[in-house]
Amino acid sequence: DAGVIQSPRHEVTEMGQEVTLRCKPISGHDYLFWYRQTMMRGLELLIYFNNNVPIDDSGMPEDRFSAKMPNASFSTLKIQPSEPRDSAVYFCASSFSHGYTFGSGTRLTVV
Amino acid sequence: GQQLNQSPQSMFIQEGEDVSMNCTSSSIFNTWLWYKQDPGEGPVLLIALYKAGELTSNGRLTAQFGITRKDSFLNISASIPSDVGIYFCAGQGSGCSNYKLTFGKGTLLTVNP
């Protein structure tokens, strides 16, 4: 099993540009989560899906953030337009029951 | 929302020493989990606890689910240099939020060889 796969590993973009982060969950996992990690705020849940359906997006900071899960093997987190305060490490995680398996994250830097 | 208070924030110890860290919450959780994060990687699950009072070991790691269901601790015995990293506690709730994990802010562990 390849685990949860995220791409890209690193992204540097200019303020105002659109950013798309990608995630492939573990096959058979029916929950998918997007987290953001910063020094100040730690790990914050942004949104999670169950069977490809968004269940709770209350953690999405603003309308600039959107997430989709078109099928069981793929999800995207999009930021448009990006701002310097969006700089963080973004993790995707998937789960079948208790506990999550995290991907290696995407380190986003907005300059 | 639910918040977890994890302590200490950081620890500097000598190789061979034992380590203890804990988490407390104002809310009840049905599951407590402990994760470790290495630099540049995502958190990896170390131990999961499912019942109040449960004591579980994984090698040199031991964790307990508090009787009140509002706290948990993690002990590492005979620390080694590869124990270096950030340790997170996480609580998993019940009902509609059953699959949401709430994370503590982490304990940064440094082990001096």
Side-chain angles (χ1 to χ4, degrees), chain B residues 20-83:
Chain B
S20 184
M21 58 193 79
N22 68 83
C23 264
T24 59
S25 169
S26 57
S27 305
I28 289 174
F29 288 109
N30 289 337
T31 303
W32 280 93
L33 304 133
W34 285 91
Y35 285 82
K36 182 192 177 195
Q37 184 177 23
D38 291 326
E41 298 296 329
V44 173
L45 182 64
L46 298 174
I47 289 181
L49 302 155
Y50 302 110
K51 288 174 55 177
E54 180 181 356
L55 184 71
T56 297
S57 293
N58 178 7
R60 294 179 296 106
L61 277 59
T62 302
Q64 184 158 30
F65 192 144
I67 290 293
T68 65
R69 296 166 62 194
K70 292 183 177 181
D71 64 306
S72 178
F73 73 75
L74 174 71
N75 287 342
I76 304 173
S77 63
S79 58
I80 59 178
S82 62
D83 290 334

Side-chain angles (χ1 to χ4, degrees), chain B residues 99-110:
Chain B
Y99 283 91
K100 289 174 65 171
L101 281 186
T102 302
F103 283 85
K105 290 291 179 67
T107 296
L108 174 61
L109 178 63
T110 302

Side-chain angles (χ1 to χ4, degrees), chain A residues 25-60:
Chain A
I26 292 174
S27 176
H29 283 192
D30 53 356
Y31 282 84
L32 184 139
F33 306 83
W34 282 100
Y35 277 83
R36 178 172 66 177
Q37 185 178 38
T38 61
M39 289 290 292
M40 291 298 294
R41 301 171 71 92
L43 279 161
E44 300 175 279
L45 176 64
L46 300 177
I47 185 172
Y48 78 96
F49 296 82
N50 177 219
N51 292 322
N52 313 337
V53 176
I55 302 300
D56 185 347
D57 65 354
S58 59
M60 296 287 261

Side-chain angles (χ1 to χ4, degrees), chain A residues 58-93:
Chain A
S58 59
M60 296 287 261
E62 300 171 32
D63 290 345
R64 299 183 296 107
F65 286 70
S66 63
K68 294 182 180 179
M69 192 166 185
N71 57 63
S73 59
F74 184 64
S75 177
T76 60
L77 178 68
K78 185 177 294 186
I79 308 172
Q80 166 63 19
S82 58
E83 297 182 2
R85 59 193 169 120
D86 300 331
S87 298
V89 181
Y90 290 81
F91 287 104
C92 174

